[in-house]
Amino acid sequence: METPNLNYVNELSGQNGQFRMKIISIIKKELPFEVEMYDSYMQQFDFFNAAQSVHKLKHKISILGLEKSYYLAVDYEHNLKNDSITLKNDFEVILKTMLDFVVKL
């Protein structure tokens, strides 16, 4: 299992600590809401909108340096668009890992 990191955020922000903190703040604010939306759609068996949520979450996955997880999310998004929940458990482990990481920032 990959470990989330801030390598991309650090690279993107360079020496600008204020910009770095702004990015982290946005991630901390948006990630829980986006995960909550995904969960809500899955509880309703609304796979179309769940796929849209996964699409948005892919960007957070990438920003947190989870390259392999990003590709899993791509496949999972495709599965949801085809009314399949294959990879659901793996994807949700990624979400939990990300949430745990973000809480500690």
Side-chain angles (χ1 to χ4, degrees):
M1 171 55 90
E2 294 175 289
T3 303
N5 62 73
L6 295 175
N7 294 345
Y8 179 73
V9 172
N10 293 336
E11 184 180 316
L12 186 63
S13 60
Q15 300 298 319
N16 189 333
Q18 230 178 355
F19 184 64
R20 179 182 182 274
M21 291 309 298
K22 179 75 171 176
I23 294 170
I24 291 170
S25 174
I26 290 169
I27 292 169
K28 288 180 80 164
K29 179 181 176 186
E30 290 181 357
L31 182 63
F33 176 74
E34 290 177 7
V35 171
E36 186 178 312
M37 292 303 300
Y38 161 79
D39 286 338
S40 175
Y41 292 132
M42 289 303 292
Q43 288 174 10
Q44 298 169 36
F45 302 100
D46 183 349
F47 299 141
F48 176 80
N49 282 312
Q52 298 302 314
S53 291
V54 171
H55 182 79
K56 290 179 184 178
L57 285 159
K58 286 188 314 190
H59 301 290
K60 301 289 187 306
I61 292 169
S62 180
I63 288 170
L64 293 177
L66 301 171
E67 186 176 330
K68 292 176 186 173
S69 298
Y70 176 86
Y71 291 110
L72 184 140
V74 168
D75 291 342
Y76 182 51
E77 178 185 2
H78 176 75
N79 291 348
L80 287 170
K81 288 179 180 177
N82 290 301
D83 294 327
S84 168
I85 60 168
T86 302
L87 301 176
K88 176 184 183 290
N89 292 337
D90 294 330
F91 181 75
E92 291 179 359
V93 167
I94 294 165
L95 294 182
K96 180 169 178 4
T97 301
M98 291 170 50
L99 288 169
D100 290 347
F101 177 77
V102 167
V103 165
K104 295 175 186 174
L105 291 177

